[in-house]
Amino acid sequence: MTFLRFAWLPPIALACMALGATPIPVANRIPATTSRTIEAPRLHPMTMPTDVAIDALGYVYVADGVNDRIVRFTPSGDIDATLTGPKDLPVSSPVGISIDRDGSLWIADTGNHRLLVRSPDGRNYKSIAVPDAPGNKTSDPTGVVVRSDGARAYVADCDNQRILILDTATGKWTALGEFGISLGQFRWPFFVCMGPEDHLVVSESVGARLQLISSDNRWAGQIGHFGVAMGDLYRPKGLAADASGRIFVGDSTMGVIQVFTDAGKLLGVLTDNAGQPLRFDHPMGMRFDSAGLLYVVELGANRVDVITLKPPGK
């Protein structure tokens, strides 16, 4: 895995013609404001951060893979700690992170081709090897999420075009998918999140869509298709689902966040007070906190934005 995968495509012309020439129609506006930003000190800045997770106490964890670390911030946004993993096998280019129901931090330790699970008190780490693909192709874990009941962990194995499912009780792995454009096939699955009814939502960074997988490992549909107009996806990466079941997806090239139902209906675009799309500098991982605030990693700005949204139906 290389951080060149985050390099910018030529986005300027796209951004000019997509979701920005005119204000978003009123019916598709989802008003949003940036209430604050979270950044590391200038002497030790984050470099191209990729994902964010928030624990039950409000501490914010950010994957800072270029610097081989996870940066932890206090609920007020002050840097609290830098986590580099166990001394005998430190993290290498971590990309995706999430926190399970027990408060353990799960790290897609991409450079080491494994998952690393940090206990809530930080005293212990568990290393879980991510299996190679057929043909001895090295695994490439980029996204990780744990189901609400803790029974399964899901991993996006990006370069191998598959989703891996870990039974956390038995340690058994199941692989789903292969390269292709049909339902159940992938073109560079990147991040994963849990959607309504414990459906897994997968972003395909090159396939330009989201796919849904049911709790019994059945293909449950897709959201979006390639394009640059409202409702299209160009380079989808970050994902988050809110308490009402809406699915938020960030487009890393167009720099916007769109919102869909789990059935694939476009609800709208995050917009500013003028009805224009709220712009982000290469948005990546996203997460909601318990108060309904949306945390968005800006890879290009080396920070996390905290977004306040108008509640649905108000």
Side-chain angles (χ1 to χ4, degrees), residues 195-273:
E197 300 179 1
D198 268 341
H199 279 49
L200 181 74
V201 187
V202 183
S203 64
E204 287 185 73
S205 61
V206 177
R209 63 179 175 175
L210 313 181
Q211 288 199 61
L212 280 71
I213 302 172
S214 70
S215 59
D216 59 354
N217 297 347
R218 297 179 182 271
W219 304 106
Q222 73 174 50
I223 296 173
H225 49 78
F226 181 79
V228 295
M230 187 171 66
D232 295 338
L233 300 173
Y234 191 84
R235 288 292 181 266
K237 291 203 174 77
L239 296 166
D242 70 3
S244 67
R246 299 182 298 175
I247 296 173
F248 291 65
V249 53
D251 197 299
S252 63
T253 295
M254 292 198 292
V256 299
I257 293 174
Q258 299 188 78
V259 185
F260 297 85
T261 68
D262 62 339
K265 178 184 176 182
L266 173 71
L267 295 175
V269 182
L270 299 197
T271 56
D272 60 21
N273 292 333

Side-chain angles (χ1 to χ4, degrees), residues 112-129:
N112 286 318
H113 315 290
R114 64 171 179 168
L115 300 179
L116 191 62
V117 185
R118 179 182 182 270
S119 65
D121 60 11
R123 294 179 180 177
N124 299 299
Y125 283 89
K126 179 181 180 181
S127 178
I128 304 173

Side-chain angles (χ1 to χ4, degrees), residues 25-213:
V26 173
N28 295 117
R29 296 179 187 177
I30 300 178
T33 57
T34 302
S35 56
R36 61 191 178 97
T37 59
I38 298 173
E39 301 178 69
R42 291 185 179 181
L43 291 178
H44 302 283
M46 295 185 290
T47 305
M48 299 173 68
T50 50
D51 204 5
V52 60
I54 305 148
D55 69 18
L57 298 177
Y59 284 81
V60 179
Y61 299 75
V62 183
D64 185 21
V66 169
N67 295 311
D68 296 322
R69 63 181 185 171
I70 308 298
V71 184
R72 186 174 68 192
F73 297 88
T74 66
S76 61
D78 297 321
I79 192 167
D80 176 65
T82 56
L83 313 177
T84 57
K87 292 181 180 180
D88 57 336
L89 191 59
V91 297
S92 174
S93 302
V95 175
I97 55 175
S98 66
I99 292 176
D100 66 18
R101 63 175 185 173
D102 297 323
S104 294
L105 175 68
W106 289 66
I107 303 168
D109 189 10
T110 312
N112 286 318
H113 315 290
R114 64 171 179 168
L115 300 179
L116 191 62
V117 185
R118 179 182 182 270
S119 65
D121 60 11
R123 294 179 180 177
N124 299 299
Y125 283 89
K126 179 181 180 181
S127 178
I128 304 173
V130 177
D132 291 344
N136 293 321
K137 295 181 180 178
T138 305
S139 64
D140 182 38
T142 52
V144 60
V145 69
V146 181
R147 205 166 71 178
S148 59
D149 61 4
R152 294 179 184 171
Y154 298 89
V155 177
D157 187 5
C158 185
D159 282 349
N160 292 306
Q161 320 299 337
R162 60 182 185 165
I163 295 297
L164 297 172
I165 304 169
L166 173 67
D167 184 312
T168 57
T170 66
K172 179 183 177 181
W173 288 94
T174 301
L176 297 178
E178 60 184 3
F179 180 78
I181 62 174
S182 299
L183 195 64
Q185 297 178 325
F186 297 106
R187 287 192 293 167
W188 286 272
F190 197 83
F191 276 144
V192 288
C193 82
M194 299 311 303
E197 300 179 1
D198 268 341
H199 279 49
L200 181 74
V201 187
V202 183
S203 64
E204 287 185 73
S205 61
V206 177
R209 63 179 175 175
L210 313 181
Q211 288 199 61
L212 280 71
I213 302 172

